[in-house]
């Protein structure tokens, strides 16, 4: 049952381990990232010109489809046909294609089923009223005071930030700890599944124990055009094609083998071994995030700095991944440029991965990805009010309005939904150390961060004032392995996490 409630700030005091256990594992390197801001992640924001990829990527492409080239060509042809047929549906339906559900309806079977079916198709959703409006507006005022108290707070653009390099402000900590946010995350992650079902005894994963991921915040003022982030996908770029990236779990094997219709975006176990940050790029995400997400701190409508998404998660993902294997015979100004017959497998094979750059995010545009018809099919998420929670599948193509129109700010706290896995627990242990020091979280550009900021919250504050459930999500308290009605593998997962976090002897 998904019951929403007011926060409970009373909890037992638990002693934090002085140092987490550090088992030998596949966890990413802990090397600090270079200083920077969100523009460091996207060439379109920084204005940099990506260099051509080295020849090894041509070899990777050859190996991915070796032996089933004909099936891949046929699969591509079918995909282009589907994209063309659904383009008009997406364009005419617009924002209404995005499913919504109110927080008080999460236990309504009929509404949940309708929501689930639409979510699985589109990859994006809105949960209404997760936090009371007054509380969400209070978070915005609190973060504004925090910024005013610390004039050196960094962000992008540097002269008048819209996206702040802040991770440990009181508003962010309180939002990540909010019981309704944690419940919304559990609800969303329940829509993923294991191919082995409840009998899975192989994988360490729990979607019932969301982990806290420290991310940025946005306060975009009216008239802003600097944070014009176009269509992109988070969670790596080149890694999606690399055998030592997403290939470790065979996440997209069905697509590369010419069976995109059989690809399942919602199978969770294949993503457990994935390395999504092979190049230690600033802002490259090494955490397994099932959903990207944010909670609104203001009213945000169409054109007001709002989120835009490319729905139809399966088809869009398949196109993005297959696009590098194909080339057109005719030029873009030819009326038949988009015709299926105009596109065949590259010969010779190039190293290009259209919009993928090592250590950067995956970007998309009309020139490189013409069949996605991004000018027509990037739809706005329905308008939101303070306290609404917006979430989208980790492979979803998304963007923001290029210009912030309207009379007031567009403000959000970025809060993704992350399951408990071995690698995520290892990341949480490292993140806990940065929390204590007040420096940026491990996935983000390095620097002194908020270590000298006035008013930032600390683990000590959380231990004394925030719920035990939130402490666990932040790696500050041991998971309860004595819970009833828990599968043995989930109990093993909690025990594994406790050991990594240093609680096995606590």
């Amino acid at each position: 049952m998904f019951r929403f409630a007011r926060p409970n700030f009373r909890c037992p005091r638990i002693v934090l381990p002085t140092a987490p256990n550090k088992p030998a594992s596949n966890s990413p390197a802990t090397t600090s990232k270079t200083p920077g801001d969100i523009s460091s992640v996207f060439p379109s924001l920084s204005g940099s010109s990506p260099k051509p990829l080295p020849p090894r990527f041509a070899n990777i492409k050859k190996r991915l489809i070796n032996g089933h080239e004909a099936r891949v060509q046929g699969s591509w042809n079918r995909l282009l046909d589907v994209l063309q047929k659904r383009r008009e549906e997406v364009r005419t339906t617009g924002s209404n294609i995005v499913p919504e559900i109110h927080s008080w309806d999460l236990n309504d079977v009929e509404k949940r089923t309708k929501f689930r079916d639409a979510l699985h198709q589109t990859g994006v959703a809105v949960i209404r009223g997760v936090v009371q409006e007054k509380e969400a507006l209070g978070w915005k005022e609190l973060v504004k005071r925090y910024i005013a108290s610390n004039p050196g707070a960094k962000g992008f653009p540097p002269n008048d930030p819209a996206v702040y390099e802040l991770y440990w402000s009181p508003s962010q900590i309180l939002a990540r700890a909010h019981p309704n946010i944690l419940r919304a995350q559990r609800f969303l992650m329940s829509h993923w599944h294991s191919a082995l079902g409840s009998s899975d005894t192989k994988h360490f994963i729990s979607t019932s124990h969301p982990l806290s991921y420290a991310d940025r915040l946005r306060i975009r003022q009216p008239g802003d055009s600097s944070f014009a982030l176009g269509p992109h996908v988070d969670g790596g770029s080149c890694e999606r094609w690399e055998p030592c990236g997403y290939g470790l779990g065979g996440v997209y094997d069905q697509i590369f083998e010419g069976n995109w219709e059989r690809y399942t975006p919602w199978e969770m176990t294949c993503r457990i071994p994935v390395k999504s940050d092979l190049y230690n790029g600033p802002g490259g995400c090494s955490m397994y995030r099932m959903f990207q997400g944010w909670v609104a701190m203001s009213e945000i409508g169409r054109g007001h700095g709002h989120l835009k998404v490319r729905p139809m998660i399966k088809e869009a993902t398949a196109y993005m991944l297959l696009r590098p294997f194909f080339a057109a015979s005719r030029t873009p100004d030819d009326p038949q440029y988009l015709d299926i017959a105009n596109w065949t497998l590259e010969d010779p094979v190039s190293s290009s991965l259209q919009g993928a750059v090592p250590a950067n995010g995956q970007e998309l545009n009309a020139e490189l990805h013409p069949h996605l018809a991004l000018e027509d099919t990037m739809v706005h998420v329905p308008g939101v009010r303070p306290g609404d929670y917006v979430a989208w599948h980790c492979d979803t193509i998304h963007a923001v309005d290029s210009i912030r129109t309207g009379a007031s700010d567009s403000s959000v706290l970025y809060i993704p939904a992350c399951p408990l896995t071995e690698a995520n627990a290892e990341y949480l242990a490292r993140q806990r150390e940065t929390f204590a020091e007040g420096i940026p979280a491990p996935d983000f550009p390095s620097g002194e961060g908020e270590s000298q900021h006035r008013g930032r919250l600390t683990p000590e504050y959380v231990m004394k004032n925030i719920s035990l459930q939130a402490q666990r999500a932040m790696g500050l308290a041991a998971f309860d392995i004595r819970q009833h009605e828990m599968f043995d593998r989930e109990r093993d997962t909690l025990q594994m996490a406790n050991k990594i976090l240093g609680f096995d002897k606590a």
Side-chain angles (χ1 to χ4, degrees):
M1 298 289 285
F2 296 95
R3 295 190 177 91
F4 280 64
R6 293 178 179 274
N8 173 20
F9 293 109
R10 300 182 63 186
C11 61
R13 184 171 179 80
I14 300 176
V15 178
L16 183 67
T18 55
N21 290 325
K22 299 183 182 295
S25 70
N26 294 326
S27 60
T30 57
T31 305
S32 295
K33 306 210 173 184
T34 57
D37 54 40
I38 195 169
S39 68
S40 308
V41 188
F42 300 102
S44 64
L45 286 182
S46 64
S48 61
S49 299
K51 297 179 181 179
L53 296 179
R56 70 181 180 88
F57 284 99
N59 294 327
I60 288 174
K61 288 165 63 175
K62 291 176 184 178
R63 288 194 296 269
L64 280 173
I65 65 170
N66 182 47
H68 36 265
E69 291 85 351
R71 288 203 305 273
V72 171
Q73 178 71 66
S75 174
W76 169 262
N77 294 348
R78 297 192 305 274
L79 177 61
L80 296 191
D81 185 53
V82 170
L83 288 173
Q84 176 61 32
K85 290 178 179 177
R86 306 205 69 176
R87 174 178 178 175
E88 185 63 17
E89 175 192 349
V90 174
R91 189 186 69 80
T92 56
T93 308
S95 299
N96 291 331
I97 204 169
V98 177
E100 306 176 37
I101 192 169
H102 202 284
S103 58
W104 59 55
D105 289 326
L106 298 191
N107 294 318
D108 185 306
V109 175
E110 182 178 350
K111 291 180 179 179
R112 280 192 61 175
T113 301
K114 182 179 179 181
F115 174 87
R116 177 203 63 200
D117 293 344
L119 173 64
H120 280 172
Q121 185 177 66
T122 64
V124 62
V126 179
I127 305 181
R128 301 289 186 186
V130 173
V131 178
Q132 292 184 355
E133 284 196 24
K134 183 177 181 180
E135 190 168 10
L137 290 170
W139 288 342
K140 183 172 72 171
E141 293 309 309
L142 187 59
V143 80
K144 284 183 175 180
R145 292 201 300 271
Y146 182 73
I147 293 169
S149 300
N150 299 283
K154 296 181 179 180
F156 175 83
N159 59 323
D160 187 16
V163 179
Y164 286 88
E165 296 296 313
L166 297 175
Y167 307 90
W168 312 117
S169 71
S171 299
Q172 290 165 294
I173 301 300
L174 294 174
R176 293 172 200 146
H178 200 290
N180 292 357
I181 295 288
L182 294 171
R183 288 186 178 92
Q185 292 171 332
R186 284 198 299 273
F187 169 73
L188 287 165
M189 292 193 294
S190 72
H191 294 89
W192 287 67
H193 68 274
S194 167
L196 300 177
S198 59
S199 62
D200 188 350
T201 59
K202 178 181 178 182
H203 301 97
F204 288 112
I205 187 167
S206 172
T207 57
S208 300
H209 298 83
L211 300 186
S212 179
Y213 183 82
D215 207 334
R216 301 177 174 99
L217 64 89
R218 183 184 84 211
I219 302 180
R220 195 177 182 194
Q221 299 298 335
D224 174 71
S225 60
S226 56
F227 185 54
L229 184 54
H232 65 283
V233 180
D234 297 310
S237 57
C238 299
E239 289 89 346
R240 284 186 165 83
W241 290 267
E242 297 196 65
C244 53
Y246 282 74
L248 289 172
V251 177
Y252 307 118
D253 282 359
Q254 292 286 2
I255 295 174
F256 296 133
E257 292 172 4
N259 304 304
W260 72 263
E261 296 93 339
R262 296 176 60 183
Y263 163 64
T264 307
W266 303 96
E267 204 291 314
M268 63 186 180
T269 58
C270 65
R271 295 176 186 258
I272 293 174
V274 162
K275 304 293 185 196
S276 57
D277 184 22
L278 291 174
Y279 302 95
N280 200 40
C285 181
S286 60
M287 189 92 154
Y288 179 3
R289 298 182 292 186
M290 288 182 162
F291 289 91
Q292 296 280 78
W294 49 248
V295 60
M297 298 189 294
S298 66
E299 192 171 346
I300 311 173
R302 181 187 178 111
H304 294 177
H306 208 6
L307 178 72
K308 301 173 74 176
V309 297
R310 205 314 179 170
M312 308 307 175
I313 181 67
K314 177 189 287 190
E315 294 87 344
T317 302
Y319 180 85
M320 179 182 72
L321 293 167
L322 289 177
R323 172 66 183 89
F325 298 90
F326 291 87
S329 300
R330 301 175 185 271
T331 58
D333 59 351
D334 191 299
Q336 295 178 309
Y337 177 66
L338 296 179
D339 288 0
I340 293 175
N342 188 44
W343 293 80
T344 55
L345 287 169
E346 282 186 320
D347 186 16
V349 176
S350 74
S351 62
S352 177
L353 292 176
Q354 279 80 9
V357 181
N360 284 254
Q362 170 75 48
E363 297 195 86
L364 301 93
N365 58 51
E367 178 182 354
L368 297 178
H369 306 88
H371 297 94
L372 287 180
L374 297 171
E375 66 279 6
D376 289 336
T377 60
M378 292 292 294
V379 303
H380 284 91
V381 168
V384 297
R385 298 190 61 80
D388 290 343
Y389 188 53
V390 178
W392 56 100
H393 185 285
C394 50
D395 284 345
T396 298
I397 300 169
H398 57 290
V400 295
D401 283 319
S402 58
I403 300 177
R404 166 62 174 109
T405 61
S408 60
D409 59 73
S410 168
S411 302
V412 305
L413 299 173
Y414 294 103
I415 306 177
C418 306
L420 176 58
T421 67
E422 183 176 8
N424 279 6
E426 290 166 357
Y427 180 89
L428 192 65
R430 300 195 302 276
Q431 180 179 268
R432 183 175 64 185
E433 295 175 6
T434 64
F435 183 16
E437 297 176 36
I439 60 177
D443 271 346
F444 295 87
S446 64
E448 72 171 19
E450 298 156 78
S451 58
Q452 305 302 315
H453 277 30
R454 297 173 56 192
R456 74 173 169 89
L457 295 192
T458 64
E460 289 73 23
Y461 176 89
V462 172
M463 298 297 289
K464 293 178 181 179
N465 299 281
I466 305 295
S467 71
L468 180 57
Q469 179 188 36
Q471 290 178 32
R472 289 171 173 150
M474 297 181 188
L476 301 176
F479 291 100
D480 184 5
I481 63 174
R482 299 165 298 179
Q483 299 176 62
H484 299 295
E485 299 181 357
M486 182 190 299
F487 289 112
D488 290 342
R489 198 54 173 172
E490 185 167 26
R491 184 172 286 104
D492 292 342
T493 300
L494 299 186
Q495 199 160 11
M496 171 272 299
N498 285 342
K499 183 176 181 180
I500 290 172
L501 293 165
F503 292 113
D504 55 321
K505 299 177 182 178

